[in-house]
Amino acid sequence: MKLEFFGASRSVTGSCHMLSVNGLKLLLDCGMRQGVDSKGIYGEGDFPFDPASIDAVVLTHAHIDHSGLLPLLTKRGFKGVVLCTEATALLATIMLPDSAHIQAQEADWQSRKNLRAGKAPVEPLYDMEDVQACLRLFRGVFYDEIIKLFPNVRVRLKDIGHLLGSAAIELWADEGGKTTKLVYSGDVGRNDRPIIQDPEEVKDADYLILEGTYGDRVHPLKTEADKESELKEAIRAALMRGGNLVIPSFAVGRTQELLYFIKRLLKSGALPELNNIPVYIDSPLGIEATKIYERAKAYHDEEALEMSKDGSPFDFPNLRVALTSDESKAINDISGSKIIISSSGMCEAGRIRHHLKHNLYRADSTVLFTGYQALGTLGRTLVDGAKKVKLFGEQVRVNAQIVVLEGLSGHADKEELIAWVKGIYPPPQKIFLVHGEENALLLLEASLNSLGYNTAVPYVGDSYTITAEKPLARAQIKRATELKTKERSFRIMEQLALLEAILKRADERRSPDMDLKYTLLEADIKSLAEKWDELI
């Protein structure tokens, strides 16, 4: 069995990992490369494999850096199934067409520019026809349902708390009479986030692919109340400056969280000055995504369901929406302070760039970043302190206040990632760290290594052979731990030492002709269970 890494390797975007087993080729995500990643060895639209050879894609969630190249994969010959949660499949019906629309606009703009320079026109990576062909391959399933994807491959999706419908992938592959379990975390969310459920634990894994976006830092705020308070103070400070508050926001996920928090602030009266300030959603995709969030109550947490009793948790009297481009342009002609929530979240495309052009030069305006900004994006340039940026062919001075809120991040920090990994027992034979800038991944690797984990930080194109190791012995350990799973007593160091001692004795008692067919003694397991009873 072979595992290969073709994206989000020592970088953040373009997630794409391939598992080859028994002649099958499976992709875990197929994301768009953004920022500096689009200028990497595969560029924006090259695949280091034949798309027609791919048998299936298992998709963790709908964000474009995980799903955005699926239409291109289809355009170039992929005809397999795209397995994901029902919510992810629903979000893909608006996100992938939006991606095609943006590409068509950018290709048209670049082609007109090339024409004036005597250069060849530019083609988008894919069009609406490619998107519709791709969407017909989607198969939405429920969380926790074991799906027989192929005779020798089973998949289960677990709620990972990052986005509506986001999932960690549990994959069991049978090869050579052995079963290997691979887990791919996708993007790990955080506990106590608004609207959606907290991340679920995964019980066991032979191998783990783990994201590390924030593997080099600890978020200062943990609770929903803390995050709401941080946003409240940022809004108050922006309004005191007297200008506009411009929020570059991911249309799916972050926009809905912002609306949710703003409604709570209005409802509680915690920020009275907000009552008379118009709040604009200037993102057709964000508007459509909000409608999906309103309908998908099966994915909501208890607080969001409680908010829904008074109507939509994302609607309030001073909310305004801009559907057309004319409505978008008119926002900047309206006098007085206003809050403008617009995409894209990293300022690489979309209407947000027009709002930045009209507000960055104003000393009374504030630009508030609430999500990760990938290296090489306009958002990252602003966060890093640029004094001038280029927008629509002209230089714009940055006089506005640039504010970053990390509390609203949808990605787990180092402590939260490690806590999630500790819930996996027996520990994985190897952890592959992806989806993070190199420094963040190396720091996370050092932390995991200090705890005894075996890790690797692959480069793009790296491949690894993975196999189940001592399957019978590992099954017996699992059986022993299940005796006291409810109490989770195996976390105690004494119990870990006992497990190691039993496995060592089993190794010593193994005769050469038995190889991997030995089992742990029932007396040892019984003794271990009795010891657990004493400890708890």
Side-chain angles (χ1 to χ4, degrees):
M1 193 179 310
K2 185 164 69 170
L3 181 61
E4 298 172 271
F5 296 90
F6 295 128
S9 300
R10 300 189 180 228
S11 63
V12 175
T13 70
S15 291
C16 184
H17 320 298
M18 181 191 288
L19 181 68
S20 301
V21 52
N22 272 347
L24 295 170
K25 291 184 178 180
L26 312 176
L27 289 187
L28 308 179
D29 287 344
C30 188
M32 184 170 286
R33 304 163 198 135
Q34 300 167 300
V36 296
D37 297 339
S38 66
K39 300 174 177 61
I41 60 174
Y42 299 131
E44 285 187 302
D46 290 330
F47 294 113
F49 48 80
D50 177 9
S53 71
I54 304 301
D55 296 286
V57 179
V58 187
L59 179 62
T60 58
H61 64 289
H63 275 151
I64 289 299
D65 63 325
H66 291 257
S67 69
L69 288 187
L70 284 170
L72 182 64
L73 194 76
T74 304
K75 178 181 180 179
R76 295 186 180 170
F78 170 66
K79 298 186 186 311
V81 65
V82 178
L83 187 73
C84 59
T85 65
E86 289 191 325
T88 294
L90 192 57
L91 288 173
T93 65
I94 62 172
M95 296 186 73
L96 293 179
D98 182 74
S99 174
H101 175 69
I102 289 173
Q103 289 180 62
Q105 285 185 321
E106 292 183 342
D108 180 64
W109 176 83
Q110 188 63 51
S111 292
R112 284 187 277 111
K113 185 178 178 181
N114 285 3
L115 180 62
R116 292 191 295 271
K119 298 180 180 178
V122 173
E123 293 291 328
L125 291 177
Y126 50 82
D127 58 24
M128 290 297 181
E129 187 176 334
D130 301 318
V131 168
Q132 293 307 317
C134 174
L135 290 174
R136 287 193 287 270
L137 303 178
F138 273 65
R139 177 187 174 190
V141 299
F142 295 110
Y143 285 130
D144 299 319
E145 181 182 0
I146 295 182
I147 306 298
K148 194 172 185 179
L149 191 58
F150 296 101
N152 60 329
V153 177
R154 287 158 290 137
V155 173
R156 179 167 61 191
L157 303 179
K158 303 287 287 185
D159 193 342
I160 201 63
H162 172 71
L163 181 74
L164 192 77
S166 63
I169 298 169
E170 293 181 287
L171 187 150
W172 293 267
D174 301 326
E175 189 175 57
K178 301 175 185 177
T179 299
T180 302
K181 182 180 179 183
L182 172 69
V183 171
Y184 172 34
S185 72
D187 287 356
V188 182
R190 307 181 61 196
N191 290 334
D192 207 19
R193 285 190 67 204
I195 308 168
I196 58 178
Q197 303 284 351
D198 292 344
E200 287 186 279
E201 284 189 336
V202 171
K203 300 297 183 185
D204 61 286
D206 293 309
Y207 295 89
L208 170 64
I209 305 173
L210 176 68
E211 72 112 330
T213 310
Y214 286 123
D216 60 343
R217 70 195 73 178
V218 175
H219 295 316
L221 305 177
K222 301 293 185 183
T223 70
E224 188 171 305
D226 288 338
K227 299 165 193 173
E228 182 179 315
S229 178
E230 183 187 40
L231 179 62
K232 177 185 72 174
E233 294 308 317
I235 293 174
R236 173 178 284 135
L239 296 181
M240 287 179 64
R241 293 173 69 85
N244 296 325
L245 172 58
V246 179
I247 308 179
S249 178
F250 300 102
V252 181
R254 189 54 41 79
T255 291
Q256 291 71 45
E257 289 177 0
L258 288 166
L259 295 177
Y260 179 86
F261 276 132
I262 290 172
K263 177 163 185 173
R264 282 173 51 131
L265 290 171
L266 288 166
K267 190 174 180 180
S268 68
L271 194 58
E273 51 266 57
L274 186 56
N275 292 325
N276 300 316
I277 300 296
V279 179
Y280 289 89
I281 308 181
D282 187 17
S283 166
L285 178 61
I287 294 166
E288 291 302 310
T290 302
K291 293 176 183 177
I292 291 176
Y293 265 71
E294 287 173 335
R295 298 201 306 269
K297 292 183 180 179
Y299 292 86
H300 290 187
D301 62 14
E302 291 182 7
E303 291 81 3
L305 291 173
E306 185 66 28
M307 285 270 284
S308 297
K309 292 179 179 178
D310 297 329
S312 168
F314 314 108
D315 194 15
F316 41 87
N318 47 330
L319 180 64
R320 311 283 185 267
V321 297
L323 282 170
T324 68
S325 58
D326 287 341
E327 289 171 335
S328 173
K329 293 173 185 176
I331 294 173
N332 291 299
D333 296 327
I334 299 171
S335 61
S337 296
K338 46 198 169 289
I339 298 174
I340 305 167
I341 303 171
S342 185
S343 57
S344 70
M346 296 186 193
C347 309
E348 282 296 277
R351 297 178 179 180
I352 187 62
R353 295 171 71 89
H354 292 275
H355 295 300
L356 291 174
K357 178 182 176 180
H358 285 277
N359 285 275
L360 279 175
Y361 73 91
R362 295 178 52 177
D364 61 350
S365 288
T366 302
V367 179
L368 177 64
F369 288 95
T370 62
Y372 186 84
Q373 303 300 309
L375 196 63
T377 62
L378 176 59
R380 180 63 168 267
T381 300
L382 290 168
V383 166
D384 286 346
K387 301 302 180 185
K388 288 183 180 180
V389 294
K390 195 170 186 178
L391 285 163
F392 306 105
E394 63 179 88
Q395 292 288 338
V396 179
R397 287 198 60 82
V398 181
N399 296 322
Q401 182 83 4
I402 306 296
V403 179
V404 179
L405 296 190
E406 286 195 9
L408 294 184
S409 172
H411 287 270
D413 65 14
K414 180 176 71 172
E415 290 180 348
E416 292 161 338
L417 288 169
I418 291 174
W420 190 78
V421 170
K422 285 182 176 179
I424 301 174
Y425 193 87
Q429 295 177 38
K430 198 175 206 60
I431 301 175
F432 301 98
L433 300 179
V434 298
H435 201 288
E437 292 178 15
E438 186 173 49
N439 188 57
L441 296 181
L442 293 177
L443 287 172
L444 179 59
E445 179 184 43
S447 297
L448 289 169
N449 288 348
S450 71
L451 297 172
Y453 291 99
N454 179 21
T455 62
V457 183
Y459 288 91
V460 173
D462 279 358
S463 65
Y464 296 82
T465 299
I466 61 175
T467 58
E469 183 178 279
K470 297 183 180 178
L472 294 177
R474 290 174 64 81
Q476 292 296 332
I477 293 176
K478 182 179 179 182
R479 177 184 172 189
T481 59
E482 284 174 350
L483 295 174
K484 289 297 176 180
T485 294
K486 290 182 180 180
E487 293 82 3
R488 307 288 287 174
S489 56
F490 57 77
R491 290 182 179 277
I492 301 173
M493 291 304 297
E494 289 87 348
Q495 297 155 332
L496 294 176
L498 283 170
L499 284 170
E500 293 171 357
I502 290 174
L503 183 58
K504 182 179 179 181
R505 286 200 296 276
D507 278 328
E508 291 170 349
R509 293 169 185 168
R510 177 175 48 149
S511 60
D513 61 326
M514 290 177 67
D515 196 23
L516 294 179
K517 298 180 181 179
Y518 66 90
T519 60
L520 298 175
L521 296 179
E522 290 292 336
D524 285 336
I525 297 174
K526 181 179 179 181
S527 174
L528 176 60
E530 291 172 351
K531 180 61 177 176
W532 281 351
D533 286 333
E534 293 174 11
L535 289 170
I536 64 171

